[in-house]
Amino acid sequence: MLPVISCRHLWWGGLRRRICLNQPVLSRQHLQHLHIRVGDRAELSRAFTQRDVVTFSELTGDVNPLHLNEDFAKHTKFGKTVVHGVLINGLISALLGTKMPGPGCVFLSQEIKFPAPLYVEEVVLASAEVKKLKRFIAIIAVSCFVIESKKTVMEGWVKVMVPEAPKS
């Protein structure tokens, strides 16, 4: 059993409050039970089809013609329809939830940008690398780039809660 924090005094709303927490205090020994380490990497590739984009639009209600209407999109700076940024981000969610850290991982926050568009049928490689690990929280650098052209279509970082390693 892990040791627990008993009680702490905190200033909250201008008042001193006594807060009792039952959160584990993790030592180096406890961190060994995690199944990821700083520097761990994982990758996943995929090409999104127009059907994927249409299905995503139907599910979310995001019917922006930039994603769905070739005639509309060809008159924009992109020249043709583009994949939803959130759909690209979903590839990162799949990578983290299935490969590293894996099943049980929970997204807590993220900061991402989309420096270039992803077009339908371009093969994109999603990658993730653990940059920091503190207790059961990992900071992971993420990016997606088109394999053929090497253009980056998404980059940033995510903070996730890491599941404990499966018991053997």
Side-chain angles (χ1 to χ4, degrees):
M1 183 164 169
L2 298 174
V4 295
I5 298 171
S6 54
C7 293
R8 299 276 190 235
H9 292 280
L10 302 172
W11 286 97
W12 187 0
L15 300 173
R16 186 174 184 217
R17 309 239 177 166
R18 186 170 185 235
I19 306 293
C20 296
L21 303 172
N22 286 330
Q23 295 181 353
V25 176
L26 300 175
S27 65
R28 184 177 300 266
Q29 170 190 4
H30 296 115
L31 285 175
Q32 292 173 357
H33 294 293
L34 299 178
H35 62 284
I36 65 168
R37 302 280 183 257
V38 171
D40 283 358
R41 296 181 51 85
E43 296 179 332
L44 180 65
S45 65
R46 165 156 192 165
F48 290 102
T49 66
Q50 189 61 40
R51 184 71 210 142
D52 294 329
V53 172
V54 168
T55 299
F56 182 81
S57 292
E58 290 169 351
L59 288 171
T60 63
D62 183 350
V63 293
N64 182 340
L66 180 61
H67 306 296
L68 303 169
N69 185 319
E70 202 64 49
D71 289 332
F72 175 88
K74 73 180 173 186
H75 297 293
T76 69
K77 70 178 185 176
F78 302 107
K80 54 185 173 178
T81 57
V82 299
V83 175
H84 296 80
V86 177
L87 192 51
I88 301 166
N89 194 34
L91 194 55
I92 294 295
S93 179
L95 173 62
L96 298 177
T98 62
K99 291 191 171 197
M100 192 260 328
C105 136
V106 177
F107 261 70
L108 299 174
S109 63
Q110 64 182 345
E111 183 175 314
I112 55 174
K113 60 183 175 178
F114 301 93
L118 176 65
Y119 298 110
V120 171
E121 300 298 341
E122 287 185 306
V123 179
V124 66
L125 181 69
S127 63
E129 181 178 354
V130 178
K131 295 295 191 180
K132 186 175 180 182
L133 189 59
K134 185 173 182 181
R135 297 188 181 181
F136 287 104
I137 305 297
I139 305 297
I140 302 174
V142 295
S143 67
C144 293
F145 73 91
V146 176
I147 292 174
E148 186 177 323
S149 67
K150 304 289 187 229
K151 75 175 173 179
T152 299
V153 296
M154 192 204 88
E155 60 188 355
W157 61 268
V158 296
K159 184 194 294 189
V160 298
M161 186 178 349
V162 179
E164 289 187 61
K167 296 188 170 99
S168 5

Short mmCIF file of all heavy atoms in Angstrom, two decimals, residues 31-42 96 99-102 105 129-140 160-166:
data_model
loop_
_atom_site.label_atom_id
_atom_site.label_comp_id
_atom_site.label_asym_id
_atom_site.label_seq_id
_atom_site.Cartn_x
_atom_site.Cartn_y
_atom_site.Cartn_z
N LEU A 31 7.50 4.83 -8.89
CA LEU A 31 7.57 5.18 -10.30
C LEU A 31 8.02 4.01 -11.16
O LEU A 31 7.74 3.95 -12.34
CB LEU A 31 8.52 6.37 -10.52
CG LEU A 31 7.96 7.73 -10.12
CD1 LEU A 31 9.04 8.80 -10.28
CD2 LEU A 31 6.73 8.08 -10.90
N GLN A 32 8.69 3.04 -10.55
CA GLN A 32 9.12 1.87 -11.31
C GLN A 32 7.93 1.03 -11.75
O GLN A 32 8.06 0.19 -12.62
CB GLN A 32 10.10 1.04 -10.48
CG GLN A 32 11.42 1.77 -10.27
CD GLN A 32 12.34 1.04 -9.32
OE1 GLN A 32 12.00 0.01 -8.75
NE2 GLN A 32 13.52 1.59 -9.13
N HIS A 33 6.77 1.26 -11.18
CA HIS A 33 5.57 0.51 -11.56
C HIS A 33 4.93 1.08 -12.83
O HIS A 33 4.01 0.50 -13.36
CB HIS A 33 4.56 0.48 -10.42
CG HIS A 33 5.04 -0.29 -9.24
ND1 HIS A 33 5.25 -1.64 -9.26
CD2 HIS A 33 5.40 0.12 -8.01
CE1 HIS A 33 5.70 -2.04 -8.09
NE2 HIS A 33 5.80 -0.99 -7.31
N LEU A 34 5.40 2.25 -13.28
CA LEU A 34 4.90 2.80 -14.53
C LEU A 34 5.59 2.09 -15.68
O LEU A 34 6.75 1.71 -15.57
CB LEU A 34 5.17 4.31 -14.61
CG LEU A 34 4.51 5.16 -13.52
CD1 LEU A 34 4.90 6.62 -13.69
CD2 LEU A 34 3.00 5.01 -13.56
N HIS A 35 4.91 1.95 -16.79
CA HIS A 35 5.49 1.21 -17.91
C HIS A 35 6.03 2.12 -19.01
O HIS A 35 6.34 1.65 -20.09
CB HIS A 35 4.47 0.23 -18.46
CG HIS A 35 3.23 0.86 -19.00
ND1 HIS A 35 2.25 1.35 -18.18
CD2 HIS A 35 2.83 1.12 -20.26
CE1 HIS A 35 1.29 1.86 -18.92
NE2 HIS A 35 1.61 1.75 -20.18
N ILE A 36 6.17 3.42 -18.75
CA ILE A 36 6.81 4.31 -19.71
C ILE A 36 7.94 5.06 -19.04
O ILE A 36 7.96 5.18 -17.81
CB ILE A 36 5.82 5.29 -20.37
CG1 ILE A 36 5.25 6.27 -19.35
CG2 ILE A 36 4.74 4.57 -21.12
CD1 ILE A 36 4.51 7.42 -19.98
N ARG A 37 8.85 5.55 -19.83
CA ARG A 37 10.01 6.29 -19.33
C ARG A 37 10.21 7.52 -20.21
O ARG A 37 9.80 7.55 -21.37
CB ARG A 37 11.29 5.44 -19.42
CG ARG A 37 11.23 4.14 -18.65
CD ARG A 37 11.48 4.38 -17.17
NE ARG A 37 11.50 3.15 -16.42
CZ ARG A 37 10.49 2.73 -15.66
NH1 ARG A 37 9.39 3.42 -15.57
NH2 ARG A 37 10.58 1.61 -14.98
N VAL A 38 10.88 8.53 -19.68
CA VAL A 38 11.26 9.70 -20.46
C VAL A 38 12.09 9.21 -21.65
O VAL A 38 12.96 8.37 -21.49
CB VAL A 38 12.05 10.71 -19.60
CG1 VAL A 38 12.64 11.82 -20.46
CG2 VAL A 38 11.15 11.29 -18.51
N GLY A 39 11.77 9.71 -22.83
CA GLY A 39 12.46 9.31 -24.04
C GLY A 39 11.73 8.25 -24.85
O GLY A 39 12.05 8.02 -26.02
N ASP A 40 10.75 7.57 -24.24
CA ASP A 40 9.98 6.58 -24.99
C ASP A 40 9.26 7.26 -26.15
O ASP A 40 8.79 8.39 -26.03
CB ASP A 40 8.93 5.90 -24.10
CG ASP A 40 9.52 4.86 -23.17
OD1 ASP A 40 10.74 4.63 -23.23
OD2 ASP A 40 8.75 4.28 -22.37
N ARG A 41 9.19 6.56 -27.29
CA ARG A 41 8.56 7.10 -28.50
C ARG A 41 7.60 6.07 -29.09
O ARG A 41 7.77 4.87 -28.91
CB ARG A 41 9.62 7.41 -29.56
CG ARG A 41 10.60 8.50 -29.17
CD ARG A 41 11.61 8.77 -30.27
NE ARG A 41 11.01 9.01 -31.57
CZ ARG A 41 10.54 10.18 -32.00
NH1 ARG A 41 10.63 11.24 -31.24
NH2 ARG A 41 10.01 10.30 -33.20
N ALA A 42 6.62 6.58 -29.82
CA ALA A 42 5.70 5.71 -30.56
C ALA A 42 5.23 6.46 -31.80
O ALA A 42 5.23 7.69 -31.84
CB ALA A 42 4.51 5.32 -29.68
N LEU A 96 -1.77 7.54 -28.44
CA LEU A 96 -1.54 7.53 -27.00
C LEU A 96 -2.40 6.49 -26.30
O LEU A 96 -1.97 5.87 -25.33
CB LEU A 96 -1.77 8.91 -26.41
CG LEU A 96 -0.85 10.02 -26.94
CD1 LEU A 96 -1.23 11.36 -26.32
CD2 LEU A 96 0.60 9.70 -26.70
N LYS A 99 -0.97 2.72 -28.06
CA LYS A 99 0.44 2.31 -28.11
C LYS A 99 1.27 2.80 -26.93
O LYS A 99 1.98 2.03 -26.30
CB LYS A 99 1.08 2.82 -29.41
CG LYS A 99 0.55 2.11 -30.65
CD LYS A 99 1.39 2.45 -31.86
CE LYS A 99 0.97 1.57 -33.02
NZ LYS A 99 1.97 1.56 -34.07
N MET A 100 1.24 4.11 -26.68
CA MET A 100 2.10 4.66 -25.63
C MET A 100 1.50 5.95 -25.11
O MET A 100 1.32 6.86 -25.90
CB MET A 100 3.50 4.91 -26.21
CG MET A 100 4.58 5.20 -25.20
SD MET A 100 5.07 6.91 -24.93
CE MET A 100 4.91 7.82 -26.40
N PRO A 101 1.12 6.05 -23.85
CA PRO A 101 1.26 5.08 -22.77
C PRO A 101 0.37 3.85 -22.91
O PRO A 101 0.67 2.82 -22.36
CB PRO A 101 0.86 5.85 -21.52
CG PRO A 101 0.86 7.28 -21.87
CD PRO A 101 0.69 7.35 -23.35
N GLY A 102 -0.75 3.95 -23.65
CA GLY A 102 -1.57 2.77 -23.91
C GLY A 102 -2.91 2.82 -23.21
O GLY A 102 -3.32 3.86 -22.68
N CYS A 105 -4.84 5.40 -20.48
CA CYS A 105 -4.28 6.76 -20.47
C CYS A 105 -5.42 7.76 -20.64
O CYS A 105 -6.37 7.51 -21.36
CB CYS A 105 -3.23 6.86 -21.56
SG CYS A 105 -3.23 8.29 -22.58
N GLU A 129 6.62 11.54 -28.07
CA GLU A 129 7.80 11.24 -27.27
C GLU A 129 7.60 11.79 -25.87
O GLU A 129 7.27 12.96 -25.69
CB GLU A 129 9.05 11.87 -27.88
CG GLU A 129 10.30 11.56 -27.07
CD GLU A 129 11.58 12.13 -27.67
OE1 GLU A 129 11.54 12.69 -28.77
OE2 GLU A 129 12.62 12.01 -26.99
N VAL A 130 7.81 10.93 -24.87
CA VAL A 130 7.68 11.34 -23.47
C VAL A 130 8.84 12.27 -23.14
O VAL A 130 10.01 11.91 -23.28
CB VAL A 130 7.69 10.12 -22.52
CG1 VAL A 130 7.61 10.57 -21.07
CG2 VAL A 130 6.56 9.16 -22.86
N LYS A 131 8.50 13.50 -22.71
CA LYS A 131 9.50 14.50 -22.37
C LYS A 131 9.70 14.65 -20.87
O LYS A 131 10.78 14.97 -20.41
CB LYS A 131 9.13 15.87 -22.97
CG LYS A 131 9.14 15.88 -24.47
CD LYS A 131 10.55 15.67 -24.98
CE LYS A 131 10.66 15.94 -26.46
NZ LYS A 131 12.02 15.73 -26.96
N LYS A 132 8.62 14.44 -20.11
CA LYS A 132 8.69 14.62 -18.66
C LYS A 132 7.71 13.65 -18.02
O LYS A 132 6.62 13.42 -18.54
CB LYS A 132 8.33 16.06 -18.32
CG LYS A 132 8.50 16.43 -16.87
CD LYS A 132 8.24 17.92 -16.66
CE LYS A 132 8.42 18.29 -15.21
NZ LYS A 132 8.12 19.70 -14.97
N LEU A 133 8.09 13.11 -16.89
CA LEU A 133 7.23 12.18 -16.16
C LEU A 133 7.32 12.54 -14.69
O LEU A 133 8.40 12.57 -14.11
CB LEU A 133 7.72 10.75 -16.40
CG LEU A 133 6.86 9.61 -15.91
CD1 LEU A 133 5.47 9.65 -16.53
CD2 LEU A 133 7.53 8.28 -16.23
N LYS A 134 6.16 12.87 -14.12
CA LYS A 134 6.11 13.21 -12.70
C LYS A 134 4.88 12.54 -12.11
O LYS A 134 3.76 12.83 -12.53
CB LYS A 134 6.03 14.73 -12.53
CG LYS A 134 6.10 15.17 -11.10
CD LYS A 134 6.19 16.68 -11.00
CE LYS A 134 6.32 17.08 -9.55
NZ LYS A 134 6.38 18.52 -9.39
N ARG A 135 5.14 11.68 -11.17
CA ARG A 135 4.09 10.86 -10.58
C ARG A 135 3.40 10.10 -11.71
O ARG A 135 4.04 9.43 -12.47
CB ARG A 135 3.15 11.70 -9.75
CG ARG A 135 3.84 12.33 -8.56
CD ARG A 135 2.90 12.99 -7.64
NE ARG A 135 3.66 13.58 -6.54
CZ ARG A 135 3.10 14.22 -5.58
NH1 ARG A 135 1.78 14.35 -5.54
NH2 ARG A 135 3.83 14.72 -4.62
N PHE A 136 2.08 10.22 -11.82
CA PHE A 136 1.36 9.52 -12.88
C PHE A 136 0.99 10.46 -14.03
O PHE A 136 0.06 10.20 -14.77
CB PHE A 136 0.09 8.86 -12.32
CG PHE A 136 0.40 7.66 -11.47
CD1 PHE A 136 0.33 7.72 -10.09
CD2 PHE A 136 0.78 6.47 -12.05
CE1 PHE A 136 0.61 6.62 -9.31
CE2 PHE A 136 1.07 5.36 -11.27
CZ PHE A 136 0.98 5.43 -9.90
N ILE A 137 1.73 11.55 -14.17
CA ILE A 137 1.47 12.54 -15.22
C ILE A 137 2.65 12.56 -16.19
O ILE A 137 3.80 12.65 -15.77
CB ILE A 137 1.27 13.95 -14.62
CG1 ILE A 137 0.17 13.95 -13.56
CG2 ILE A 137 1.00 14.96 -15.72
CD1 ILE A 137 -1.22 13.59 -14.07
N ALA A 138 2.35 12.48 -17.48
CA ALA A 138 3.40 12.55 -18.50
C ALA A 138 3.15 13.75 -19.39
O ALA A 138 2.00 14.03 -19.76
CB ALA A 138 3.41 11.27 -19.34
N ILE A 139 4.22 14.45 -19.73
CA ILE A 139 4.19 15.51 -20.73
C ILE A 139 4.79 14.88 -21.99
O ILE A 139 5.93 14.40 -21.96
CB ILE A 139 5.01 16.75 -20.31
CG1 ILE A 139 4.54 17.26 -18.94
CG2 ILE A 139 4.95 17.82 -21.39
CD1 ILE A 139 3.11 17.74 -18.89
N ILE A 140 4.03 14.90 -23.06
CA ILE A 140 4.42 14.20 -24.28
C ILE A 140 4.41 15.17 -25.46
O ILE A 140 3.39 15.83 -25.71
CB ILE A 140 3.47 13.01 -24.55
CG1 ILE A 140 3.49 12.05 -23.36
CG2 ILE A 140 3.84 12.30 -25.85
CD1 ILE A 140 2.51 10.91 -23.44
N VAL A 160 -0.93 13.86 -20.08
CA VAL A 160 -1.81 12.70 -19.87
C VAL A 160 -1.59 12.09 -18.49
O VAL A 160 -0.50 12.20 -17.92
CB VAL A 160 -1.60 11.61 -20.95
CG1 VAL A 160 -1.95 12.13 -22.33
CG2 VAL A 160 -0.22 11.04 -20.90
N MET A 161 -2.63 11.46 -17.99
CA MET A 161 -2.50 10.64 -16.79
C MET A 161 -2.13 9.24 -17.28
O MET A 161 -2.79 8.68 -18.16
CB MET A 161 -3.81 10.58 -16.01
CG MET A 161 -3.67 9.86 -14.70
SD MET A 161 -5.18 9.79 -13.66
CE MET A 161 -6.30 10.91 -14.40
N VAL A 162 -1.06 8.71 -16.72
CA VAL A 162 -0.51 7.44 -17.16
C VAL A 162 -1.08 6.31 -16.31
O VAL A 162 -1.07 6.40 -15.08
CB VAL A 162 1.03 7.44 -17.04
CG1 VAL A 162 1.62 6.12 -17.48
CG2 VAL A 162 1.61 8.61 -17.82
N PRO A 163 -1.58 5.26 -16.95
CA PRO A 163 -2.07 4.11 -16.16
C PRO A 163 -0.89 3.36 -15.55
O PRO A 163 0.23 3.42 -16.05
CB PRO A 163 -2.78 3.25 -17.20
CG PRO A 163 -2.09 3.59 -18.49
CD PRO A 163 -1.69 5.03 -18.38
N GLU A 164 -1.15 2.66 -14.48
CA GLU A 164 -0.11 1.82 -13.89
C GLU A 164 0.18 0.67 -14.83
O GLU A 164 -0.67 0.27 -15.62
CB GLU A 164 -0.58 1.26 -12.55
CG GLU A 164 -0.65 2.30 -11.45
CD GLU A 164 -0.95 1.67 -10.12
OE1 GLU A 164 -0.14 0.83 -9.66
OE2 GLU A 164 -2.00 2.00 -9.54
N ALA A 165 1.39 0.14 -14.73
CA ALA A 165 1.76 -1.02 -15.55
C ALA A 165 0.86 -2.18 -15.16
O ALA A 165 0.50 -2.35 -13.98
CB ALA A 165 3.21 -1.37 -15.32
N PRO A 166 0.48 -2.99 -16.15
CA PRO A 166 -0.35 -4.16 -15.83
C PRO A 166 0.38 -5.06 -14.84
O PRO A 166 1.59 -5.23 -14.92
CB PRO A 166 -0.51 -4.86 -17.18
CG PRO A 166 -0.09 -3.88 -18.21
CD PRO A 166 0.80 -2.89 -17.54
#
